[in-house]
Amino acid sequence: MTQATNDQFLLAARPVGLPKDSDWQRATPPLAELAEDEVRVKILYISLDPAMRGWMNDARSYVRPVAIGEVMRAGGVGVVTESKSPKFAVGDHVMGVTGVQRYWTGPADDKGAMLAKVDPNMAPLPAWLNALGMPGMTAYFGLLEVGQPKAGETVVVSGAAGAVGMTVGQVAKHLGCRVVGIAGGADKCRFVVEELGFDACIDYKAGPVHAGLKQHCPQGVDVYFDNVGGEILDAVLTRINMKARIIICGAISQYNATEAVKGPANYLALLVNRARMEGMLVTDYAARYPEGVATIARWMKEGSFKNREHIVEGFDTFPSTLNMLFKGENLGKLVLKVADA
């Protein structure tokens, strides 16, 4: 072992609004010897995702909340440094739910961690937390299975410059759709159109989203992939077509609200247009991840798919780096670099 202790961020308090430094506690427990069938993973990169904010709340959800005094839940990718399991060898690269810490130790088949081998020769390690990881699979299966887009249809995606949004738009373009993104700021919109190949991008910071939808979606909206909720969801509802499909993936605009979450005021548009709004969880498609990974990896190899990570170095920066998500400061998938390989 290269060090005798771990280094962890524990949840110290339930945040009210934006998480504060006092909501976190550092811990440096010793690294215990491995039991039979256990492995130790040195974490190299940690995935920072909007869903983490919901996991901090003591509320019923699709997964239990992180307990006070528990290591903060997060996805990660790293390298196996010790193994007493035939499933993983020392030197294997793996991804899983490894938490905000420098080392993960546990059973190789731990159902909470869901460790899986990754191939660093197929794509750089951070990509396994982006398009080839949970965000990419969320986008791929959410769009294909829930949105069911057809060539020629108009697909709109909010949070278009983020991890899920950038993949949604590129998958839709591969299917022959017109793709319009919604993002905050001229730089993000330029990235979405010029680098990712979207047909247009609406800057919600520059003017009313409704006006942008009217301009860029003259034939209406057939599929909307919602990552933000709130007023933007309401605006899109006013432009949906007959039999439109709306995928509810996230609502980052509401995650740090200190009052009740605002539901869609324009939901009757679903009735008028006989449209469908459906939530999705990526874990429902876990058995099919290899299918999504193979397709996106092939597009990457062909040069028809772009992956972008916003990498911040330094484990100590975790609290402030996480909050970049909620301030809209990241361009691409936000990743915290913990260590060199």
Side-chain angles (χ1 to χ4, degrees):
M1 290 183 294
T2 56
Q3 68 178 59
T5 60
N6 201 351
D7 192 358
Q8 306 169 321
F9 275 94
L10 315 181
L11 185 64
R14 303 277 177 210
V16 176
L18 197 67
K20 308 180 296 296
D21 286 349
S22 59
D23 294 325
W24 305 107
Q25 176 187 345
R26 292 291 283 273
T28 55
L31 291 173
E33 287 196 22
L34 296 189
E36 205 59 40
D37 291 321
E38 286 192 333
V39 297
R40 187 162 358 258
V41 178
K42 178 185 179 182
I43 298 167
L44 305 177
Y45 297 93
I46 294 174
S47 177
L48 301 182
D49 300 288
M52 293 170 71
R53 181 61 186 84
W55 300 339
M56 299 177 207
N57 296 333
D58 188 12
R60 183 176 176 272
S61 187
Y62 59 90
V63 65
R64 69 167 182 80
V66 176
I68 299 298
E70 184 178 7
V71 175
M72 182 59 204
R73 182 185 296 131
V77 64
V79 61
V80 175
T81 57
E82 295 180 73
S83 178
K84 288 192 175 181
S85 167
K87 189 173 180 182
F88 300 107
V90 171
D92 282 347
H93 288 89
V94 297
M95 68 176 177
V97 183
T98 49
V100 183
Q101 55 187 339
R102 292 186 184 273
Y103 287 88
W104 181 91
T105 304
D109 60 355
D110 187 280
K111 288 184 169 53
M114 298 183 292
L115 294 184
K117 289 183 187 178
V118 301
D119 184 357
N121 296 315
M122 183 183 292
L125 290 176
W128 291 95
L129 298 177
N130 190 6
L132 299 182
M134 288 287 188
M137 298 305 98
T138 299
Y140 185 84
F141 291 107
L143 181 65
L144 293 182
E145 299 299 321
V146 182
Q148 300 178 353
K150 304 173 188 66
E153 289 189 324
T154 296
V155 174
V156 173
V157 55
S158 54
V164 173
M166 66 166 62
T167 296
V168 169
Q170 292 183 86
V171 173
K173 287 300 293 180
H174 276 90
L175 298 175
C177 298
R178 173 175 174 76
V179 180
V180 177
I182 303 173
D187 288 344
K188 289 185 178 182
C189 285
R190 198 160 33 245
F191 165 69
V192 163
V193 173
E194 295 179 5
E195 293 194 40
L196 301 183
F198 286 42
D199 294 285
C201 188
I202 299 164
D203 181 358
Y204 70 82
K205 293 183 177 179
V209 171
H210 185 272
L213 291 166
K214 192 171 182 181
Q215 175 186 352
H216 296 298
C217 306
Q219 305 301 316
V221 177
D222 299 297
V223 179
Y224 174 50
F225 200 106
D226 185 31
N227 290 307
V228 302
E231 294 178 359
I232 290 177
L233 171 58
D234 261 333
V236 177
L237 282 170
T238 67
R239 298 291 301 172
I240 60 173
N241 288 332
M242 191 71 65
K243 295 289 185 181
R245 289 82 69 200
I246 298 171
I247 305 108
I248 301 298
C249 175
I252 195 170
S253 72
Q254 304 293 300
Y255 289 165
N256 291 298
T258 53
E259 59 276 339
V261 171
K262 296 175 183 175
N266 295 326
Y267 78 96
L268 286 179
L270 299 170
L271 168 64
V272 172
N273 293 288
R274 281 75 109 193
R276 171 168 57 82
M277 182 184 290
E278 184 176 339
M280 71 82 57
L281 287 179
V282 66
T283 49
D284 292 344
Y285 302 94
R288 295 176 59 191
Y289 287 176
E291 169 193 331
V293 168
T295 300
I296 293 176
R298 174 169 53 82
W299 289 338
M300 284 181 176
K301 189 174 181 181
E302 294 169 352
S304 62
F305 186 100
K306 298 209 174 159
N307 209 48
R308 178 159 176 169
E309 291 83 37
H310 186 138
I311 299 175
V312 177
E313 294 200 32
F315 184 71
D316 293 346
T317 71
F318 165 70
S320 59
T321 303
L322 177 65
N323 283 347
M324 290 174 63
L325 283 173
F326 311 115
K327 297 175 181 178
E329 294 174 348
N330 59 299
L331 178 54
K333 171 73 184 82
L334 187 58
V335 174
L336 183 67
K337 183 177 179 181
V338 177
D340 292 317

